[in-house]
Amino acid sequence: MMSKTTVKDVSTRPEPSSANADAAPRTVGGSRAFALLLVITGAAGLLAAWVITIDKFKILEGKVSGKTFTPSCSLNPIVSCGSVMESKQAAAFGFPNPMLGLVAYGIVICVGMSLLARATFPRWYWLTFNFGTLFGVAFCTWLQFQSLYRINALCLWCSLAWVATITMFWYVTSFNIRNDLLSSPGWLKRFLAEFTWVLPVTHCGIIAMMILTRWGDKLWA
């Protein structure tokens, strides 16, 4: 089990402010644990985006040569990465979605590495970063709906990206609230100090239940 201290560290503990804090705009840094969480979730999302991009290229190459390429994560008619990759929803902005992930998750890794180097950032930076993770969660939610009820197939690599995005969103939001970068009541700050982990776990659990309710034992057929 994750210790109480670890949860608090990952959630939001800031680095000490500089001696000239009164003379300059306030900047905030994160703990080592929070930085590592960003690096790990960013790396997980980047891995998923990279594999999907490679498989997408192989599918297109197969079509050109008159062959059919089946991604390794296509296990059955339901768990079928190929079906998801070839859907129109897989290019929601006019280009393959994973290309957006290659950039976005790379940025998350850069932020995490900067925090490991004890960098600090102003309020506008953290709020912009938070908005980026919010956009990521909203986009993932749309993709989840499309996957379950329109495409009728599930991509395992997409699922990894969903979990990574959900986790980073809740922890970044918690970080901003705990550091007074987002206005919030005291009870919420106290809750997030100990139980930030409950939010991504609950969020992912709801998605898992939706998947099981939608397909049940067909996932392993």
Side-chain angles (χ1 to χ4, degrees):
M1 293 178 59
M2 183 178 292
S3 68
K4 181 176 180 180
T5 302
T6 301
V7 171
K8 187 177 293 184
D9 285 346
V10 172
S11 297
T12 54
R13 183 178 297 170
E15 296 292 338
S17 58
S18 65
N20 297 323
D22 294 335
R26 179 188 177 215
T27 61
V28 180
S31 68
R32 181 180 179 85
F34 178 60
L36 287 174
L37 181 137
L38 292 180
V39 172
I40 292 171
T41 54
L46 185 63
L47 173 62
W50 176 258
V51 173
I52 295 172
T53 300
I54 295 299
D55 284 347
K56 179 67 174 181
F57 286 152
K58 290 181 178 179
I59 290 174
L60 295 176
E61 289 174 356
K63 288 183 176 181
V64 171
S65 61
K67 299 178 182 179
T68 300
F69 173 77
T70 301
S72 59
C73 60
S74 292
L75 307 180
N76 56 48
I78 300 299
V79 183
S80 178
C81 297
S83 299
V84 176
M85 293 176 192
E86 295 187 79
S87 67
K88 63 180 182 179
Q89 292 90 335
F93 299 102
F95 55 87
N97 296 339
M99 296 182 68
L100 181 62
L102 292 174
V103 176
Y105 293 120
I107 292 174
V108 174
I109 294 174
C110 288
V111 173
M113 294 299 291
S114 298
L115 293 178
L116 285 176
R118 297 189 176 278
T120 60
F121 303 106
R123 180 174 182 267
W124 68 263
Y125 187 98
W126 284 113
L127 295 183
T128 301
F129 187 49
N130 208 160
F131 177 79
T133 60
L134 175 61
F135 171 80
V137 165
F139 187 46
C140 285
T141 300
W142 180 78
L143 291 173
Q144 289 155 15
F145 175 83
Q146 296 298 318
S147 180
L148 268 68
Y149 305 109
R150 297 294 182 267
I151 305 172
N152 295 313
L154 182 68
C155 172
L156 295 180
W157 287 110
C158 296
S159 299
L160 174 61
W162 297 346
V163 173
T165 304
I166 289 169
T167 302
M168 69 176 68
F169 164 72
W170 284 115
Y171 273 98
V172 170
T173 301
S174 173
F175 177 91
N176 284 338
I177 290 175
R178 290 287 308 282
N179 284 279
D180 294 320
L181 301 174
L182 281 174
S183 300
S184 59
W187 66 265
L188 181 58
K189 296 179 183 178
R190 292 190 294 272
F191 172 82
L192 293 176
E194 308 295 339
F195 300 110
T196 296
W197 62 271
V198 171
L199 301 176
V201 169
T202 301
H203 194 156
C204 292
I206 292 173
I207 296 169
M209 289 302 299
M210 291 175 64
I211 292 173
L212 290 174
T213 301
R214 177 70 177 85
W215 289 305
D217 57 4
K218 292 180 180 179
L219 289 169
W220 299 274

